[in-house]
Amino acid sequence: MKTKKILACAACALAAMSFVIAEENSADLFAGADASVSDSTSTETGKGNFTLRLSGEHEAGFHLPVYSDDNNWKYSGSIKQPQFSNDLGIEVEDGTVKLVSHWGLTAGPLGENASEPNSNWADSLEIVPYENYVSWHPERMKLSFGYQVFSWGVADRKNPTDNLNPRDYTVGASPDKIPVLAADFVAYPSDSVSLEGVFIPVKGDSTYPMDFAGLVVANGAGQLSSSSVSYADTLADPDKFVAGAKFNYNSPRIDLSLDYLYDLDQFYTPDITVKAGYVPTQAGNLPAYLLDSVTLERKRIHRFGGDAKTTIGRFGLWLEAAYSLTENSGSSDYSIRKSKFEYTLGTDANFGPNDSGYINLQYIGAWTPDYDDGTADATSVIVYPYGATESSALSYYERKSVNLLGLETQGLMQGATCDVKYELADGLITPEISGAFMMPFQYDDSAVTRLGEIVLNPEIDFKPVDSFHIKLGADLYYAMYKEKGSDTVKLNTSSDPVGIYTPSNNIYLKVVYKWNDDLRK
């Protein structure tokens, strides 16, 4: 199951999500500044500065499939599997030292692949560590070590600068962040400025619904076997560390941040070798250079980001952007994925009597400046380049596979996200609908016209008492296209980064209970 994949750091990529539907607001760096000053003062006076906090979040979920073909009318997969999940946490704060330890416990009736019942009920239990770290926060600084979850950026749905944690995409378009073992240092030289530095010695992979190596074999047109595709061991390489720095300025009128991340690409780049051979055809055996082997490696990538956030009247406004620079030698180097610029511009506001309503709108996009739209898109198959030289054949395979395997299938992606909710009967019932629409441009449209991607999450939240929720909703994913010369709209459920979730469309019922308790002395 997905938690075992997290523990083993054995993630393989199929699809890259270009947006996140329900990610919470990023943490404010200055929340720690006030706390650290207060803690230091209490320590100097000597008494009453010990806190033990216990917390829990418990969720029972049932997901009814709505994609009713013979292969998907089942509870298979991490999204649709019925389960009971628990997040149990303990936090100890003693003077300027704080310990945080959160653990997940999940029980479900299906096996590891979520396809067969467990013969032993104990086999359905999974325990996985979440955040587990210790921090020291004297006045004007904070130092943390351990497994941590970071929140960079100010946007609510897509955070181009928030790349420190890998993510678990097996749960859908709202991926969970996977904690990373890291050292984090934050300094507060003044009340309006903070400086942060992060070091991650080993950054694990994100997890995706299908195996990346399997995608390579499937698109190799019979030229490759599973033994011909391997992964570079980047986890054990000390040179593959990740480090970042962030500058934050906070004033009553505006918040500004600039950051840099010496990162690893979340997707694999293939290192390809070819060999001379022959291909049988009706005209006889034709010479061709065939795929020999493929090694998948996460390459180095540099991320430059920034964000700004302010309030005008009742409206919150923010802008966040990042440029991800790959280490390619030039635009003609097909063996490296292209650099990319991503951005988010958003606003939110409360409305209605007593501000019972809330609306959030964002314009989001991604631009790949040197994208080669003459290459095949994600629906194409790697075929034989008859009569090519070794060099040209290698370039051909690289052009076909690098974009495909990194899910860079267009030069420009534009879209919007929306979230609207309204509390009724003093918060007893809260209907909400969130969604996103993305439209691709500058892609290979010789065979198909891609009509866009839609993600929808309508939900009704019934809260009879505080901290207890009964939620009825739906997870819906669609990627639409038309074949050349046809007016029929079809769904792409095999290769589109959103469409691959269509077989997991479901209507769900969730029961959620949250609690916390503090002991102070």
Side-chain angles (χ1 to χ4, degrees), residues 244-415:
K246 183 177 183 181
F247 166 83
N248 198 84
Y249 172 76
N250 182 27
S251 74
R253 302 186 64 179
I254 192 170
D255 294 345
L256 298 172
S257 292
L258 295 174
D259 60 78
Y260 166 73
L261 186 61
Y262 186 66
D263 200 8
L264 292 176
D265 197 344
Q266 67 269 43
F267 306 113
Y268 292 101
T269 298
D271 181 10
I272 299 172
T273 63
V274 297
K275 62 182 178 182
Y278 292 90
V279 178
T281 69
Q282 292 181 350
N285 291 332
L286 295 180
Y289 281 96
L290 309 179
L291 288 168
D292 183 27
S293 67
V294 178
T295 302
L296 305 178
E297 181 180 1
R298 296 169 62 203
K299 300 283 189 176
R300 180 63 68 186
I301 193 167
H302 304 268
R303 304 188 192 274
F304 304 87
D307 58 65
K309 188 172 186 178
T310 189
T311 301
I312 300 178
R314 66 189 301 139
F315 293 95
L317 300 171
W318 57 86
L319 172 65
E320 183 176 343
Y323 184 67
S324 297
L325 176 66
T326 59
E327 293 186 330
N328 56 325
S329 59
S331 60
S332 62
D333 188 348
Y334 298 121
S335 65
I336 301 293
R337 296 208 307 119
K338 300 297 185 181
S339 302
K340 184 166 63 173
F341 179 68
E342 299 175 274
Y343 45 91
T344 301
L345 175 65
T347 182
D348 67 350
N350 290 100
F351 63 92
N354 301 317
D355 286 337
S356 298
Y358 174 77
I359 184 170
N360 182 306
L361 298 172
Q362 289 191 145
Y363 166 64
I364 61 179
W367 175 42
T368 305
D370 295 323
Y371 181 76
D372 181 6
D373 59 9
T375 61
D377 64 18
T379 64
S380 299
V381 174
I382 299 171
V383 296
Y384 309 106
Y386 299 115
T389 65
E390 182 177 359
S391 176
S392 62
L394 183 60
S395 295
Y396 177 89
Y397 288 125
E398 288 173 346
R399 293 180 70 208
K400 285 282 191 177
S401 60
V402 171
N403 290 339
L404 169 66
L405 301 176
L407 264 289
E408 298 295 339
T409 59
Q410 65 279 316
L412 181 66
M413 181 72 86
Q414 301 289 281

Side-chain angles (χ1 to χ4, degrees), residues 453-467:
E453 304 163 340
I454 298 176
V455 178
L456 289 174
N457 177 217
E459 182 180 86
I460 297 177
D461 185 353
F462 176 63
K463 186 175 69 173
V465 296
D466 287 342
S467 302

Side-chain angles (χ1 to χ4, degrees), residues 117-160:
N118 283 312
S119 58
N120 184 348
W121 70 270
D123 293 338
S124 68
L125 297 177
E126 284 188 302
I127 300 176
V128 61
Y130 294 150
E131 280 199 290
N132 283 269
Y133 67 89
V134 61
S135 67
W136 175 50
H137 44 101
E139 187 173 0
R140 298 286 179 193
M141 64 168 286
K142 181 173 68 173
L143 184 62
S144 304
F145 294 95
Y147 282 91
Q148 303 176 64
V149 173
F150 296 92
S151 295
W152 282 15
V154 295
D156 287 333
R157 302 188 180 281
K158 173 176 168 50
N159 295 95

Side-chain angles (χ1 to χ4, degrees), residues 492-508:
N492 184 345
T493 62
S494 60
S495 60
D496 186 270
V498 171
I500 59 171
Y501 294 106
T502 300
S504 296
N505 285 357
N506 67 91
I507 298 172
Y508 63 79

